[in-house]
Amino acid sequence: MVELSRLTASLRLSGRLLCKLEYLNPGGSKKDRVARAMIEAARREGMLRDGQPVVELTGGNTGTGLAIICGALGHPFIAVMSMGNTMERARQMRALGAEVVLVDQATGSPKGTVSGADLALVEQRAVELARERGAFRADQFRMRANVEAHEQGTGPEMWRQSEQTVDVFVDFAGTGGTFTGVSRYLRRVNASARCYVVEPAGAAVLAGEQSTRPSHVIQGGGYSFADLPLLDRSLVTDYLTVTDEQAIDAARRVAREHGVFAGFSTGANIAAALDLLRTRERGATVACLACDSGLKYMSTDLFGQ
């Protein structure tokens, strides 16, 4: 965890912004934690047999984590991913031993984005493959192990590494597992902690808005799913939105000013955190995650061509 003090100082903000560098995990993202927790839980509970294949839909991060843990434990892994995700992720998963099945995007979906319609097609193919291969479906949108990985790991680490100073947590919503797990732990140790869900502008359906721009560039969330089974809404202080431009600008600034080289969702987290420090959370200690590595986005225009 690092304090983004140069960034807050340059913007003349009071308070602190702490960023936990989850891209330093072996697969380059926070999803390594989820992948390990899901497979270990499935084996422990008898849902996954020795040598049985594993199938999961992925934007590339959970799939990378699953490729690592499945390879270590002897499970063939089939990753199902939309063509809208960056191909660096597919190459990384293949290098780690995964079979990668790429699914064409929905009609009208722009390249380099993943909408809810795109993800629905990936889900359909994942279900088919799990049935065809007799595979265990590691469903990151529904398995409680997703939440537990962050409640038992990420949250306690954040609290300890911050020297027990976190007042506010912000998180860009994908499956909802990170938000729920970290927030649940923080509320347990600090009853006054405020926890904010971040969504893309124009796709803030969790906040109750209509989706008018499902094809935003922020990969890993904002799929216009109004119902996320793992999202505990009782923990949500409020819902925030960021634009593509805000997320990109924040990702570029934190790379230049702090050497934190991360992706779109990290930029969304940082942009939302900075906005809170400008407004209702002035003077607070705000924490967020650097969700994945900027190396996963080199084929996009996030850092220029």
Side-chain angles (χ1 to χ4, degrees):
M1 177 170 276
V2 298
E3 181 173 355
L4 304 182
S5 54
R6 285 189 293 280
L7 185 56
T8 53
S10 67
L11 296 171
R12 298 182 179 180
L13 299 176
S14 63
R16 303 169 70 213
L17 175 52
L18 307 179
C19 188
K20 186 162 175 54
L21 307 186
E22 287 293 282
Y23 64 75
L24 296 178
N25 289 324
S29 86
K30 66 178 185 178
K31 294 292 190 174
D32 287 1
R33 299 176 184 268
V34 173
R36 178 178 176 179
M38 290 193 301
I39 295 303
E40 289 183 344
R43 286 168 61 93
R44 184 173 60 248
E45 296 167 15
M47 296 185 291
L48 176 60
R49 305 183 307 274
D50 287 348
Q52 184 180 7
V54 173
V55 167
E56 177 56 335
L57 67 77
T58 180
N61 284 335
T62 303
T64 299
L66 285 169
I68 292 171
I69 189 67
C70 287
L73 296 176
H75 297 283
F77 173 58
I78 303 99
V80 191
M81 191 175 85
S82 172
M83 290 288 289
N85 289 114
T86 60
M87 289 303 104
E88 294 94 324
R89 301 175 186 218
R91 295 186 186 107
Q92 184 179 19
M93 288 188 288
R94 289 189 181 111
L96 292 165
E99 176 186 344
V100 179
V101 176
L102 296 174
V103 179
D104 288 337
Q105 292 183 261
T107 302
S109 289
K111 292 182 180 180
T113 69
V114 180
S115 67
D118 294 324
L119 200 64
L121 294 175
V122 178
E123 166 69 15
Q124 179 182 335
R125 187 64 182 126
V127 170
E128 293 170 353
L129 283 167
R131 183 174 60 248
E132 292 168 7
R133 306 286 184 91
F136 169 72
R137 173 69 192 282
D139 192 341
Q140 61 179 308
F141 278 85
R142 291 177 176 81
M143 283 192 72
R144 300 303 305 177
N146 182 341
V147 172
E148 291 164 3
H150 296 296
E151 184 176 1
Q152 297 169 10
T154 318
E157 289 174 26
M158 178 181 287
W159 186 242
R160 183 177 68 252
Q161 292 164 354
S162 73
E163 299 181 330
Q164 304 179 355
T165 61
V166 175
D167 302 308
V168 175
F169 175 59
V170 300
D171 190 61
F172 181 73
T175 65
T178 306
F179 175 84
T180 297
V182 172
S183 299
R184 189 169 288 166
Y185 179 82
L186 289 177
R187 285 281 178 83
R188 190 154 63 241
V189 295
N190 177 10
S192 64
R194 282 88 66 196
C195 305
Y196 295 87
V197 166
V198 182
E199 297 184 272
V205 299
L206 295 173
E209 299 179 12
Q210 292 294 316
S211 178
T212 59
R213 195 170 180 270
S215 297
H216 54 83
V217 302
I218 310 173
Q219 296 187 20
Y223 299 121
S224 299
F225 295 160
D227 179 31
L228 290 177
L230 298 182
L231 179 64
D232 184 346
R233 289 178 178 268
S234 71
L235 298 168
V236 181
T237 300
D238 204 354
Y239 299 88
L240 310 174
T241 59
V242 297
T243 65
D244 289 352
E245 293 75 20
Q246 288 173 315
I248 290 168
D249 179 67
R252 290 174 176 172
R253 288 197 66 169
V254 78
R256 291 193 306 267
E257 297 182 30
H258 284 279
V260 173
F261 191 47
F264 288 105
S265 58
T266 302
N269 282 339
I270 292 171
L274 292 172
D275 189 57
L276 285 174
L277 287 171
R278 288 187 193 99
T279 55
R280 70 180 96 175
E281 296 290 358
R282 284 191 294 270
T285 295
V286 181
C288 67
L289 302 184
C291 305
D292 64 0
S293 171
L295 293 173
K296 295 173 182 274
Y297 301 91
M298 297 306 291
S299 63
T300 75
D301 61 358
L302 178 56
F303 297 106
Q305 294 291 341

